[in-house]
C-alpha cells in the first residue's frame, strides 16, 4: 500500500469520525488530527525500511480518533448542553420564586397522587407476594346463586368433594380457621387466630419457612406429635423474634404442649376468613390430621377455606368451568343442600385486593384526571411566564439558538420543575398511603405495607417524566415558534391566549367530573349514615364478646356463668341496662344462626322463604340496645329453663309470616343450636340491622338465653351519658369470675357500626381528596388566565372608566369573562359526567347516578369558585390609575 | 482532578518536552483512547495549555500546522506531587534528549 493512499484513507476516516464531534469543536478537532496524521505520514515516508505493520500504522492511528471523538461528544452532551440547560433553567426558576413555588406545588399534587395510586395498583396486582407464582394460586369459595351471595366460606363436605373430583389443580388444600385461647403467664388471656391446614397447603402456596421447617408428611396423621408453625407477626410481637424458639415446646391451651417447628416469613397475608369477619390474619398454623366422617356430611354449615395451585397451562376460567360441572353433579346428588350452591374460583391476588379491586379503576381514573389537570395548569403557567420571557427567547433566537435548542431548554426547565415537584409529591404520596393504610377497609390486604424502594422510585421517575413532557411540550413548541415574537408585536397573539383558555375549560370540565363523582359518594355516605339501624347508636353502649371456655362445658353451667357476669355488670355505677345476646348486630364475629321456622296453622306457600335468624337474648338486651317493644311483652325473670318456651319476634318476622295478623299468643317451631323449640310468641320488637346500614333487616326470632345455654354471648351495657365506663372495667367483671376466660373483643357499639362504613368512608376521603385538589387547581387556572387577560385589558378598562364606566361595571366585565369560561367547562364536564357517573352506580346508596341535586350543586359551586377566582384580578384592574392605564 | 498513573505519564511526557499528541502516544505507549481524553481534561482543568504551531514551520514541511500542548505552572506543580506517588519509566527521559525542538 503506498503511503499516499494510506494517508487519503486515514484522512477520510477522520472526516467521517469528525461527524461525531459536536459542531462547535469539529473544525479544530479535525485540523489537529489531520495535522498529526500528515506529519506522521511525512515521518514514515522518510524511514527506509517498510513493513506490513508500518503500512497499517496511519490507519491504526486514524481509528484511534474514534474514542477521542466519542469522549468529546459525551462530555459535550453532558456538561455543555444538558447540564447547562439544567443550571440555566434552575437559575431562571429561582429568579421567579412565586411562579416556581406555585408550579412545584401543582406538580407535587398531581405527581404525588399519581404515584400513590399507581403504587397501590402495583402492590395489589404486580408486586411479588410471599407466595410463589401467585398467579396460579386460586381461592375457592361457595356462592349461593339464588340469593347472589358470593365469596362464602365452604362447607367441609363440598370442599372434600372438590378435592376428590377436580383435575385442574396440581394441589388443592383446605384450611380450617379457628380461634384459640392463649394463656401466657403474666398476660391477659387472649385469642389467637389459628388454622388447621391439610397436607398440600404449604405446597400450594410454596412459602418456605423463615426458620425451622414446614410440617412433615407424618405430622398430618392422626396421633402424630403436636406441632405448630408461627406467623412472623406473632413470633416478633410475642416472642421477640427469637430464632431459638424453633424446637421448643409451647403451651397454648389446657392440653399437651405443642412443638414449634417453623416460623413463616413476613408478608404472608391470606385473608382466610370470610371478608365480612374482621379478624386478624392467621397467627398459628397446625396440621390437620385427616378428615372426620362427619365432615364429609356437612354441606350447609362450615367455615373452611380452599386454596389450590393450578396445573401449568390451566386457566382460572377452565378451573371455574370444571368446578361448575362438579357443582352441577353435587346439586343433583344432594338437592336439599347443594341445590343453590355453586363454586367460585377467585385468583389469590383478586381475593387480597378485596373491595379495592372494584374501586381501583376509579382511583386510577381520578389520579389520571388530577395529573392531567395539574399538567394543564403548569402548561398554562409556563405559557403565561413565556409571555414574560419573550425578550429572552427573541434574543437567544437572534443569537442563533435553533428552535430545537429552545424547545429543549424549556423541556429541561419543566423537567427540573417536575423533578422537584415529584420529590415533594413522593413525600406526599408516602403520607397519602399512610392515610390510605389507616383508612383501609378490613378486607383489603397489603396496601399499608408500601415500601419505598427501587421499584417505587422507578415508578415515581416514570410518572414525573410523563408529567414533565405533558406539561412542557405544548408551551415549548408554542413559545419557540420563530414568528411568535413578531406576531405578538403586531397584536396577533390570540392563539396563545386561546390555548390558555382551552386549558382552563379542560381543567374545569375535569374538575366537574371528579367533584360530581365525589359528590355522589358523599351524598350516599350521608344517606347511609342516616339509616336507622333499629337500635340506638351511641358511645354509651359497650359491647363485650365472650366465648365460654372449655371448662364451662354444659349449658346449665354457662347459664350460671353468664348470669353472674351480667349481674356484676348491672351492679356497676352508671349502668342503665345490661343484657347479652348470641348474635350481636355489627359484632366482630357474629354467631348468626339462621333456621327454618314453622308456624302451626300457617302452612308456607311453596318457594316462600320461611327462614329467620334465631337469636338468644339475656337480661335487658332490648333496653340496652334501645330496641322498641311494639306489642306484647319482653322476656323477664319468669322465663327460665324450667318454664314454657317463649319467643319474641322482630317486626319483619311478624309481618312476613303472619301477614298483618297479631302473632302474639300463636306458636312457632324451630331449631336452635341443635335443640327443637316449640314456643309461644309473647311479643314483637323493632327490626335490627345486623350486617351493615345498607343491608336491610331480616326476619328474626328471639328466645331467652336461659332456655338455650349457647356457648358464645356478647354483653351489651348501656351507661348513663354522664357516667362513662371504660371497657377495662367491664373485662374485670369477667376476670373476677374466671381469670383465664378470654375475651374475644371489646368495643363501643358506635365504633362497630362505624367500622362497617369504612369502605364508604375510604371512597369518600380518597375520591373527595382528589376532587378538592382538582377543584383548587382548576380555580387556580381560572385565576391565572383572567389575571393575564385583565392585565392586557388595563388600557381598555382605563378608557372605559374615563368614559364613565363605574367600578361595578368593570368588575362585571372581568367576572363575565371568567364565568363564561366556567360555563363552557361545566357544559363539557356535564356531558362527560352524565354517562360516566353510571360507572359509580355500584358504590352509591339512595341516590341515582344522575342525581340532579348533585349535578346542579356542583355546577353552581364551580361557577361560584370561578367567579371568586376572577375577583382578585378584577380588583387589581381597578387599582391601576387612569393615567397609568393610558400610558 | 484525579491523578491516575496514565495521567501522570502524560504530564511527565509533556514535562520531558513531548508536545504533540502522537509523540505522547508513542513515548507513553498508551492507546489514543486514553491519551486524548487525558489531554482534553488536562486542558479543561488548565493544567495544560494548547496552541497551534507556527504556520511557517508547517509551510516548510508542506502540511497543516500541528497542535501542541505545554504544561502550565499549576500543571508543573501537580506533576511534582504526582511524581512522589508514581515511578516513571526511564525511557521517556532518555528519549527526550534526542528530541528536536518543535518550535524555534
Amino acid at each position: 500500500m503506498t503511503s499516499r493512499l494510506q494517508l487519503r484513507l486515514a484522512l477520510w476516516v477522520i472526516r467521517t469520525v469528525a461527524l461525531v464531534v459536536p459542531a462547535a469543536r469539529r473544525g479544530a478537532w479535525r485540523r489537529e488530527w489531520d495535522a498529526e496524521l500528515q506529519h506522521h505520514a511525512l515521518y514514515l515516508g522518510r524511514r527506509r525500511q517498510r513493513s506490513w505493520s508500518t503500512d497499517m500504522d496511519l490507519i491504526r492511528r486514524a481509528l484511534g480518533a474514534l474514542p477521542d471523538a466519542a469522549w468529546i461528544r459525551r462530555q459535550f452532551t453532558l456538561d455543555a448542553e444538558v447540564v447547562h440547560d439544567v443550571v440555566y433553567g434552575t437559575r431562571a426558576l429561582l429568579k421567579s420564586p412565586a411562579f416556581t413555588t406555585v408550579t412545584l406545588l401543582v406538580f407535587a399534587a398531581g405527581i404525588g397522587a399519581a404515584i400513590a395510586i399507581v403504587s397501590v395498583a402495583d402492590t395489589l396486582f404486580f408486586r411479588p407476594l410471599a407466595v410463589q407464582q401467585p398467579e396460579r394460586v386460586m381461592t375457592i369459595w361457595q356462592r349461593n346463586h339464588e340469593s347472589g351471595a358470593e365469596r362464602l366460606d365452604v362447607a367441609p363436605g363440598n370442599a372434600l368433594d372438590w378435592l376428590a373430583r377436580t383435575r385442574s389443580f396440581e394441589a388443592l388444600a383446605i384450611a380450617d380457621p379457628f380461634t384459640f385461647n392463649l394463656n401466657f403467664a403474666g398476660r391477659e388471656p387472649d385469642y389467637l387466630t389459628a388454622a388447621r391446614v391439610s397436607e398440600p397447603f404449604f405446597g400450594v402456596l410454596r412459602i418456605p419457612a423463615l426458620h425451622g421447617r414446614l410440617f412433615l408428611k407424618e405430622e398430618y396423621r392422626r396421633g402424630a406429635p403436636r406441632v405448630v408453625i408461627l406467623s412472623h407477626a406473632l413470633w416478633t410481637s410475642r416472642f421477640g423474634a427469637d430464632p431459638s424458639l424453633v424446637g421448643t415446646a409451647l403451651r397454648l391451651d389446657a392440653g399437651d404442649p405443642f412443638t414449634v417447628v417453623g416460623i413463616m416469613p413476613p408478608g404472608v397475608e391470606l385473608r382466610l376468613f370470610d371478608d365480612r369477619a374482621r379478624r386478624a390474619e392467621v397467627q398459628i398454623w397446625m396440621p390437620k390430621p385427616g378428615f372426620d366422617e362427619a365432615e364429609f356430611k356437612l354441606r350447609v354449615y362450615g367455615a373452611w377455606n380452599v386454596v389450590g395451585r393450578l396445573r401449568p397451562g390451566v386457566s382460572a376460567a377452565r378451573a371455574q368451568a370444571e368446578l361448575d360441572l362438579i357443582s352441577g353433579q353435587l346439586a343433583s346428588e344432594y338437592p336439599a343442600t347443594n341445590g343453590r350452591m355453586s363454586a367460585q374460583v377467585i385468583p389469590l391476588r383478586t381475593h387480597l385486593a378485596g373491595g379495592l379491586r372494584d374501586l381501583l379503576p376509579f382511583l386510577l381514573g381520578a389520579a389520571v384526571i388530577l395529573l392531567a389537570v395539574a399538567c394543564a395548569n403548569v402548561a398554562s403557567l409556563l405559557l403565561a411566564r413565556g409571555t414574560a420571557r419573550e425578550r429572552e427567547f427573541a434574543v437567544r433566537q437572534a443569537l442563533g439558538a435553533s428552535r430545537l435548542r429552545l424547545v429543549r431548554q424549556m423541556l429541561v426547565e419543566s423537567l427540573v420543575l417536575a423533578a422537584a415537584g415529584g420529590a415533594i409529591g413522593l413525600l406526599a404520596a408516602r403520607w397519602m398511603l399512610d392515610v390510605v393504610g389507616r383508612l383501609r377497609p378490613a378486607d383489603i390486604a397489603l396496601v399499608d405495607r408500601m415500601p419505598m424502594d427501587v421499584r417505587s422510585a422507578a415508578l415515581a421517575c416514570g410518572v414525573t417524566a410523563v408529567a414533565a413532557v405533558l406539561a412542557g411540550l405544548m408551551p415549548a413548541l408554542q413559545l419557540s415558534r420563530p414568528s411568535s415574537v413578531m406576531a405578538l408585536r403586531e397584536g396577533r397573539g390570540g392563539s396563545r391566549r386561546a390555548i390558555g383558555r382551552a386549558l382552563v375549560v379542560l381543567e374545569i370540565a375535569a374538575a366537574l367530573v371528579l367533584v360530581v363523582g365525589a359528590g355522589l359518594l358523599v351524598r350516599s355516605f350521608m344517606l347511609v349514615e342516616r339509616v336507622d339501624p333499629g337500635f340506638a347508636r351511641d358511645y354509651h353502649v359497650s359491647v363485650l364478646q365472650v366465648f365460654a371456655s372449655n371448662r364451662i362445658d354444659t349449658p346449665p353451667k354457662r347459664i350460671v356463668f353468664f348470669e353472674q357476669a351480667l349481674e356484676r355488670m348491672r351492679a356497676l355505677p352508671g349502668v342503665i341496662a345490661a343484657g347479652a345476646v348470641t348474635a350481636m348486630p355489627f359484632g366482630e364475629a357474629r354467631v348468626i344462626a339462621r333456621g327454618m321456622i314453622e308456624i302451626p296453622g300457617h302452612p308456607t306457600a311453596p318457594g316462600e322463604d320461611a327462614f329467620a335468624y334465631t337469636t338468644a337474648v339475656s337480661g335487658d338486651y332490648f333496653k340496652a340496645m334501645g330496641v322498641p317493644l311494639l306489642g306484647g311483652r319482653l322476656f323477664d325473670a319468669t322465663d327460665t329453663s324450667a318454664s314454657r318456651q317463649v319467643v319474641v319476634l322482630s317486626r319483619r318476622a311478624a309481618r312476613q309470616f303472619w301477614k298483618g295478623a297479631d302473632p302474639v299468643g300463636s306458636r312457632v317451631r324451630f331449631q336452635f343450636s341443635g335443640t327443637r323449640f316449640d314456643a309461644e310468641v309473647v311479643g314483637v320488637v323493632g327490626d335490627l340491622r345486623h350486617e351493615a346500614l345498607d343491608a336491610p333487616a331480616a326476619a328474626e326470632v328471639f328466645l331467652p338465653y336461659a332456655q338455650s345455654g349457647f356457648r358464645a354471648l356478647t354483653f351489651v351495657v348501656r351507661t348513663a351519658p354522664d357516667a362513662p365506663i371504660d371497657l377495662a372495667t367491664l373485662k374485670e367483671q369477667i376476670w373476677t369470675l374466671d381469670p383465664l376466660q378470654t375475651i374475644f373483643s371489646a368495643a363501643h357499639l358506635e365504633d362497630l357500626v362505624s367500622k362497617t362504613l369504612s369502605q364508604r368512608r375510604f371512597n369518600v376521603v380518597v375520591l373527595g381528596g382528589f376532587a378538592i385538589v382538582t377543584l383548587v387547581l382548576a380555580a387556580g387556572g381560572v385565576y391565572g388566565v383572567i389575571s393575564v387577560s385583565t392585565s392586557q385589558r388595563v388600557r381598555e378598562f382605563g378608557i372605559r372608566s374615563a368614559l364613565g364606566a363605574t367600578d361595578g361595571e368593570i368588575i362585571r366585565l372581568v367576572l363575565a369573562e371568567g364565568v363564561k369560561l366556567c360555563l363552557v367547562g361545566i357544559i363539557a364536564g356535564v356531558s362527560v359526567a352524565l354517562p360516566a357517573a353510571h360507572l359509580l352506580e355500584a358504590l352509591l346508596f339512595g341516590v341515582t347516578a344522575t342525581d340532579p341535586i348533585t349535578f346542579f350543586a356542583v355546577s353552581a359551586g364551580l361557577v361560584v369558585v370561578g367567579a371568586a377566582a376572577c375577583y382578585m384580578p378584577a380588583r387589581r384592574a381597578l387599582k391601576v390609575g387612569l393615567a397609568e392605564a393610558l400610558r | 482532578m484525579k491523578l491516575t498513573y496514565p495521567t501522570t505519564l502524560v504530564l511527565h511526557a509533556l514535562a520531558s518536552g513531548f508536545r504533540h499528541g502522537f509523540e505522547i502516544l508513542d513515548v507513553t505507549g498508551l492507546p489514543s483512547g486514553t491519551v486524548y481524553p487525558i489531554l482534553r481534561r488536562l486542558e479543561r482543568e488548565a493544567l495544560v495549555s494548547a496552541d497551534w504551531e507556527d504556520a511557517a514551520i508547517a509551510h516548510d514541511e508542506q502540511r497543516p500546522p500541528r497542535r501542541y500542548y505545554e504544561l502550565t505552572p499549576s500543571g508543573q506543580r501537580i506533576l511534582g506531587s504526582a511524581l512522589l506517588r508514581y515511578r516513571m519509566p526511564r525511557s521517556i527521559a532518555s528519549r527526550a534528549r534526542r528530541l528536536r525542538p518543535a518550535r524555534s
Side-chain angles (χ1 to χ4, degrees):
Chain A
M1 196 190 286
T2 67
S3 57
R4 190 97 221 124
L5 181 64
Q6 259 193 74
L7 182 62
R8 271 172 61 194
L9 208 61
L11 293 179
W12 177 82
V13 168
I14 294 301
R15 206 163 60 230
T16 315
V17 171
L19 296 176
V20 176
V21 179
R25 298 181 60 178
R26 196 174 293 149
W29 184 85
R30 223 183 113 184
R31 264 187 289 144
E32 178 176 2
W33 276 91
D34 281 353
E36 289 298 315
L37 285 169
Q38 293 197 28
H39 177 266
H40 198 63
L42 287 172
Y43 162 75
L44 286 177
R46 275 188 227 115
R47 278 174 56 158
R48 302 275 151 75
Q49 69 271 62
R50 288 174 53 186
S51 67
W52 171 245
S53 72
T54 55
D55 271 340
M56 290 311 290
D57 199 35
L58 270 181
I59 307 292
R60 194 173 51 79
R61 281 170 191 260
L63 288 174
L66 189 59
D68 181 26
W71 189 87
I72 294 177
R73 171 89 244 170
R74 203 166 57 240
Q75 290 300 306
F76 192 87
T77 331
L78 279 181
D79 51 46
E81 294 185 17
V82 174
V83 175
H84 174 262
D85 282 358
V86 169
V87 171
Y88 183 88
T90 313
R91 221 178 276 154
L93 290 173
L94 289 180
K95 264 188 220 156
S96 37
F99 164 84
T100 307
T101 313
V102 170
T103 317
L104 278 187
L105 290 180
V106 171
F107 257 147
I111 296 175
I115 290 174
I117 299 304
V118 169
S119 57
V120 167
D122 176 48
T123 307
L124 289 183
F125 297 115
F126 303 110
R127 234 175 226 278
L129 299 176
V131 174
Q132 284 171 31
Q133 290 172 299
E135 65 284 350
R136 279 170 55 201
V137 177
M138 301 289 134
T139 58
I140 310 169
W141 307 83
Q142 277 184 199
R143 167 167 41 196
N144 183 332
H145 51 73
E146 198 178 78
S147 72
E150 294 198 327
R151 213 152 54 143
L152 303 171
D153 289 338
V154 182
N158 299 330
L160 291 169
D161 280 327
W162 295 344
L163 256 60
R165 299 187 195 188
T166 47
R167 295 281 166 274
S168 305
F169 298 91
E170 64 179 39
L172 201 60
I174 67 103
D176 180 10
F178 65 106
T179 46
F180 214 95
N181 292 343
L182 184 69
N183 298 312
F184 285 127
R187 281 183 185 269
E188 289 180 353
D190 199 2
Y191 265 98
L192 285 185
T193 18
R196 285 190 199 89
V197 296
S198 70
E199 195 191 322
F201 187 80
F202 291 103
V204 167
L205 299 179
R206 293 206 188 143
I207 306 175
L210 178 69
H211 293 292
R213 56 168 175 86
L214 302 175
F215 298 133
L216 304 174
K217 206 173 174 65
E218 56 267 26
E219 283 165 348
Y220 288 98
R221 299 216 184 100
R222 222 170 284 258
R226 305 192 344 145
V227 288
V228 291
I229 291 175
L230 304 189
S231 79
H232 191 265
L234 181 70
W235 179 60
T236 36
S237 66
R238 290 268 179 163
F239 301 102
D242 176 10
S244 69
L245 189 72
V246 173
T248 59
L250 194 64
R251 191 169 289 277
L252 290 170
D253 210 351
D256 295 334
F258 291 84
T259 309
V260 179
V261 296
I263 311 289
M264 280 277 105
V268 179
E269 228 176 321
L270 296 173
R271 302 270 141 184
L272 285 187
F273 286 102
D274 174 334
D275 62 329
R276 282 178 301 275
R278 286 149 173 79
R279 273 193 272 181
E281 267 304 310
V282 170
Q283 293 159 304
I284 293 191
W285 308 89
M286 296 177 186
K288 181 163 174 55
F291 300 111
D292 291 336
E293 271 308 304
E295 283 170 337
F296 287 90
K297 291 180 187 142
L298 278 172
R299 298 195 168 270
V300 180
Y301 297 111
W304 281 13
N305 294 106
V306 182
V307 288
R309 180 172 285 271
L310 289 176
R311 273 182 207 288
V314 175
S315 68
R318 233 179 88 192
Q320 176 69 63
E322 186 190 21
L323 277 161
D324 284 344
L325 208 72
I326 295 170
S327 300
Q329 294 167 1
L330 293 177
S332 56
E333 288 166 38
Y334 311 100
T337 52
N338 286 48
R340 305 166 186 184
M341 195 284 297
S342 56
Q344 186 179 18
V345 176
I346 300 178
L348 180 66
R349 271 199 197 275
T350 314
H351 164 63
L352 289 180
L356 204 52
R357 191 190 155 76
D358 299 327
L359 194 65
L360 207 62
F362 297 110
L363 294 181
L364 277 176
V368 166
I369 292 178
L370 176 51
L371 184 62
V373 167
C375 288
N377 211 306
V378 171
S380 57
L381 283 166
L382 287 173
L383 266 182
R385 178 158 173 272
T387 316
R389 282 174 77 187
E390 244 145 38
R391 258 182 83 81
E392 178 201 327
F393 290 128
V395 169
R396 290 183 66 172
Q397 267 177 350
L399 290 178
S402 66
R403 183 168 183 207
L404 187 70
R405 189 82 174 74
L406 288 184
V407 167
R408 197 174 54 196
Q409 169 69 46
M410 276 181 280
L411 277 183
V412 164
E413 275 176 37
S414 76
L415 194 65
V416 167
L417 279 171
I424 304 174
L426 196 63
L427 292 179
R430 271 205 98 144
W431 175 79
M432 282 190 256
L433 290 174
D434 210 38
V435 174
V436 167
R438 233 172 283 154
L439 273 179
R440 75 167 193 184
D443 68 330
I444 300 171
L446 303 168
V447 171
D448 49 2
R449 216 179 292 124
M450 187 73 49
M452 283 285 161
D453 52 10
V454 178
R455 207 181 156 102
S456 5
L459 275 179
C461 288
V463 171
T464 302
V466 168
V469 172
L470 270 183
L473 194 58
M474 195 274 298
L477 290 178
Q478 177 69 21
L479 291 171
S480 65
R481 284 219 309 230
S483 60
S484 74
V485 178
M486 292 312 290
L488 252 178
R489 198 154 294 156
E490 287 159 26
R492 287 193 277 116
S495 74
R496 196 173 300 167
R497 255 184 293 157
I499 291 176
R501 278 156 205 275
L503 286 175
V504 166
V505 166
L506 191 90
E507 286 176 41
I508 292 175
L512 181 123
V513 173
L514 277 191
V515 177
V516 160
L520 289 171
L521 292 178
V522 169
R523 289 236 324 139
S524 304
F525 184 74
M526 280 161 39
L527 289 169
V528 170
E529 268 276 297
R530 256 185 257 149
V531 165
D532 175 16
F535 52 85
R537 285 172 62 180
D538 56 51
Y539 283 101
H540 309 302
V541 179
S542 308
V543 172
L544 212 63
Q545 196 160 18
V546 175
F547 295 104
S549 70
N550 292 336
R551 291 179 299 280
I552 311 171
D553 51 0
T554 60
K557 280 194 204 167
R558 284 183 208 135
I559 293 169
V560 171
F561 172 74
F562 284 124
E563 186 48 48
Q564 282 175 342
L566 204 53
E567 207 51 59
R568 296 191 68 90
M569 290 181 192
R570 217 176 269 145
L572 290 171
V575 171
I576 295 173
V581 64
T582 52
M584 177 64 203
F586 296 85
E588 285 172 279
R590 296 183 313 286
V591 184
I592 287 180
R594 192 164 172 266
M596 183 115 67
I597 67 160
E598 210 183 307
I599 306 153
H602 278 70
T604 48
E608 192 187 355
D609 198 6
F611 279 86
Y613 287 114
T614 45
T615 309
V617 300
S618 166
D620 295 326
Y621 169 71
F622 296 112
K623 194 175 166 203
M625 289 289 278
V627 178
L629 175 67
L630 303 176
R633 66 164 177 99
L634 297 177
F635 302 128
D636 54 34
T638 62
D639 300 310
T640 63
S641 54
S643 68
R644 69 199 163 94
Q645 292 175 327
V646 289
V647 293
V648 165
L649 300 177
S650 75
R651 184 171 58 174
R652 172 98 199 255
R655 286 208 180 147
Q656 193 172 331
F657 306 127
W658 276 266
K659 316 238 169 12
D662 183 10
V664 174
S666 53
R667 303 199 71 79
V668 55
R669 288 197 200 112
F670 60 96
Q671 266 201 350
F672 180 77
S673 185
T675 317
R676 289 198 162 279
F677 281 80
D678 183 354
E680 184 191 331
V681 177
V682 294
V684 178
V685 293
D687 286 325
L688 289 116
R689 290 183 189 233
H690 267 264
E691 311 241 339
L693 290 174
D694 49 7
E700 197 165 5
V701 175
F702 298 94
L703 60 151
Y705 180 73
Q707 295 180 348
S708 78
F710 196 67
R711 201 182 154 195
L713 265 190
T714 304
F715 294 95
V716 183
V717 178
R718 176 176 291 274
T719 53
D722 52 348
I725 236 170
D726 65 352
L727 296 168
T729 317
L730 291 178
K731 287 183 185 172
E732 279 307 318
Q733 308 313 310
I734 305 276
W735 288 329
T736 339
L737 288 176
D738 177 1
L740 292 182
Q741 173 62 50
T742 45
I743 290 164
F744 182 83
S745 71
H748 291 288
L749 180 57
E750 175 56 28
D751 288 334
L752 294 180
V753 177
S754 176
K755 243 184 203 176
T756 64
L757 296 174
S758 62
Q759 176 79 57
R760 283 190 187 280
R761 194 171 299 120
F762 178 85
N763 297 354
V764 164
V765 169
V766 175
L767 284 178
F770 278 117
I772 289 171
V773 175
T774 314
L775 188 62
V776 170
L777 292 185
V782 174
Y783 171 81
V785 162
I786 298 299
S787 285
V788 169
S789 122
T790 311
S791 64
Q792 283 165 350
R793 286 171 75 187
V794 161
R795 231 178 123 83
E796 175 199 331
F797 295 146
I799 296 172
R800 278 179 190 274
S801 64
L803 292 177
T806 62
D807 284 4
E809 278 164 345
I810 287 178
I811 289 184
R812 218 171 298 140
L813 266 176
V814 177
L815 287 189
E817 191 186 353
V819 170
K820 236 183 273 167
L821 280 180
C822 287
L823 286 177
V824 177
I826 287 167
I827 290 167
V830 167
S831 58
V832 175
L834 269 179
H838 285 285
L839 300 172
L840 274 176
E841 230 146 35
L843 304 178
L844 301 183
F845 178 85
V847 288
T848 58
T850 53
D851 180 43
I853 298 177
T854 308
F855 271 81
F856 183 77
V858 168
S859 304
L862 270 177
V863 171
V864 171
V865 167
C870 297
Y871 186 72
M872 281 248 289
R875 292 296 309 176
R876 220 181 300 133
L878 289 179
K879 276 202 195 119
V880 180
L882 178 58
E884 204 180 323
L886 292 179
R887 199 175 294 148
Chain B
M1 78 184 263
K2 220 174 108 200
L3 278 184
T4 58
Y5 181 70
T7 309
T8 314
L9 262 185
V10 171
L11 284 171
H12 181 56
L14 284 166
S16 309
F18 298 95
R19 306 156 62 124
H20 301 289
F22 275 22
E23 285 170 4
I24 296 167
L25 283 184
D26 290 337
V27 79
T28 58
L30 295 170
S32 56
T34 306
V35 169
Y36 274 100
I38 288 175
L39 283 174
R40 315 262 180 240
R41 214 154 46 217
L42 289 171
E43 194 183 350
R44 197 180 58 193
E45 304 290 331
L47 300 177
V48 155
S49 64
D51 208 339
W52 300 97
E53 79 182 343
D54 207 294
I57 302 170
H59 191 259
D60 284 348
E61 296 206 31
Q62 305 245 308
R63 57 168 178 80
R66 297 170 79 186
R67 196 166 160 79
Y68 68 87
Y69 299 86
E70 269 175 340
L71 282 186
T72 61
S74 53
Q76 302 269 11
R77 269 199 305 280
I78 290 276
L79 175 63
S81 64
L83 284 178
L84 297 176
R85 284 168 52 199
Y86 299 113
R87 226 174 43 175
M88 291 294 109
R90 291 277 192 83
S91 56
I92 295 180
S94 62
R95 283 179 64 181
R97 263 178 257 120
R98 290 185 276 116
L99 201 73
R100 63 200 159 79
R103 188 178 55 154
S104 49

